[in-house]
Structures are given as structure tokens and as C-alpha cells.
Amino acid sequence: MRVRKALFTGVLLAAPVLLGPAGAAHAVAAETATVVEGEPSKPGGFSMATCPSGTHLTGGGYQWTPEDDADRVVYNGPSMDATTWGAKASHGSVLAYAVCETE
């Protein structure tokens, strides 16, 4: 399992009357996102990427290597418990990615 980290920063907005004196600092909230890479699937099999403990799943995706012209990605989505992102192709192989954020 390969894990990549990134820092996302969001700005909390406030009405001008709540900013106080000129030059007051703006509030900033930061979350750390981790991208987890699953194991490559065998042809026609599932690839699963699971979020590490202390994080929650926010999204995911896949990398696909088609086997033939009739090959299709037949599943790309979260698990029932929303801790894992899975992907499956009808014939080819896939590699699932999960985007996880700290809680």
C-alpha cells in the first residue's frame, strides 16, 4: 500500500461586521488528505484501497488497463462501510485509489 499526503486549506468566511478592527487575521481551517493506493487487480478482479485508522474516506478513483475493446469498468465506488474504495473491470486490471482525510 502506497500512501501520499497533501495539505488542503479552507478559509472560513465571516461578514465584514464580524471582522473587527482593520487588519484582523482571517480564520483558516486545515485538513490533511491522504491518498492510498490499493493492490493492482488480476484481470477481471477487484482492487481495494482502504483508509488508514484515524482517517475517513472522502472519495476515490482508479487507473484502468483495458484487456480488449469490450472491456469496461463495472464498479468504481465506496464499500458498504465507507472505509474502502473499490474498482473492478470486466476483463482488464484496475488499481484503486482512496482519498482519506484526518478526523
Side-chain angles (χ1 to χ4, degrees), residues 57-102:
L57 182 69
T58 61
Y62 63 91
Q63 181 179 4
W64 173 41
T65 306
E67 183 76 17
D68 54 42
D69 289 341
D71 197 11
R72 301 286 181 261
V73 173
V74 295
Y75 184 77
N76 175 41
S79 61
M80 295 294 286
D81 65 357
T83 61
T84 301
W85 195 269
K88 181 183 185 311
S90 55
H91 306 284
S93 62
V94 292
L95 178 64
Y97 294 93
V99 180
C100 314
E101 286 186 348
T102 55

Side-chain angles (χ1 to χ4, degrees), residues 2-96:
R2 199 162 68 188
V3 176
R4 300 180 198 154
K5 290 193 176 212
L7 180 66
F8 293 95
T9 304
V11 177
L12 299 175
L13 300 176
V17 293
L18 299 177
L19 291 177
H26 294 276
V28 177
E31 290 186 345
T32 302
T34 302
V35 177
V36 178
E37 183 179 295
E39 294 293 323
S41 74
K42 295 182 179 179
F46 269 94
S47 175
M48 308 292 273
T50 301
C51 289
S53 178
T55 66
H56 61 274
L57 182 69
T58 61
Y62 63 91
Q63 181 179 4
W64 173 41
T65 306
E67 183 76 17
D68 54 42
D69 289 341
D71 197 11
R72 301 286 181 261
V73 173
V74 295
Y75 184 77
N76 175 41
S79 61
M80 295 294 286
D81 65 357
T83 61
T84 301
W85 195 269
K88 181 183 185 311
S90 55
H91 306 284
S93 62
V94 292
L95 178 64

